[in-house]
Amino acid sequence: MIASATGRCRCGEVTFTVTSPALMSMACHCKGCQKLTGSAYSLSMLYPRSAFSFDSGETVVGGLHGESRYLMCAKCKSWLTTEPAGLPDFINVRTPLLDEPPNDPPFIEVATNEGFAWAKTGAPHSYHADPAEEDFPRLLREFASRGS
């Protein structure tokens, strides 16, 4: 399991570092993610918030300006992170922005009920909406035990 990672936005202005292994990898098929990415789903890695830092560049809030915060590069507007509402200890980092993204499929996919029927990720766990809150400890343990 990779203990740390670096990444950057499309233009390279914003750089970041995470200093712990990812807790989970995921794909979200919701309409909001489709609209933000211009694709069938978004890919992200969940990290402890305390292990993440921006190293350079300026960010702006984009997407919805609600309880969850979507941070974008101020220059190229690449979608960098999501700070999920109600989960202040975690941050979702867009997987394609990692300098060395994992090659394996996302571990979970969510909101498949909003997705395109042809958009399949190969995730071992698939949910029509979000996993039940009580499923998260088991999913986190299973992801950590995979060694990826």
Side-chain angles (χ1 to χ4, degrees), residues 76-90:
C76 71
K77 306 301 188 263
S78 293
W79 181 19
L80 304 162
T81 63
T82 301
E83 297 171 357
L87 297 172
D89 296 334
F90 302 99

Side-chain angles (χ1 to χ4, degrees), residues 1 21-27 44-48 91-93 95 106-109 125 127 131 135-144 146 148:
M1 197 174 285
L23 301 172
M24 182 98 57
S25 63
M26 64 198 84
S44 62
M45 305 291 286
L46 180 68
Y47 291 98
I91 190 164
N92 283 327
V93 176
T95 305
F107 186 66
I108 66 171
E109 61 183 343
H125 299 282
Y127 298 90
D135 288 347
F136 272 102
R138 176 186 55 81
L139 291 168
L140 291 169
R141 282 191 309 275
E142 187 179 333
F143 182 81
R146 291 177 42 183
S148 57

Side-chain angles (χ1 to χ4, degrees), residues 29-98:
H29 295 265
C30 80
K31 297 293 183 197
C33 284
Q34 291 173 23
K35 290 177 188 237
L36 276 170
T37 62
S39 185
Y41 47 80
S42 70
L43 296 171
S44 62
M45 305 291 286
L46 180 68
Y47 291 98
R49 180 68 185 90
S50 61
F52 178 86
S53 64
F54 284 112
D55 301 321
S56 68
E58 297 295 320
T59 62
V60 295
V61 175
L64 296 175
H65 292 245
E67 292 180 31
S68 291
R69 285 179 17 121
Y70 304 87
L71 295 181
M72 278 55 170
C73 168
K75 184 175 180 183
C76 71
K77 306 301 188 263
S78 293
W79 181 19
L80 304 162
T81 63
T82 301
E83 297 171 357
L87 297 172
D89 296 334
F90 302 99
I91 190 164
N92 283 327
V93 176
R94 303 278 75 75
T95 305
L97 300 181
L98 294 170

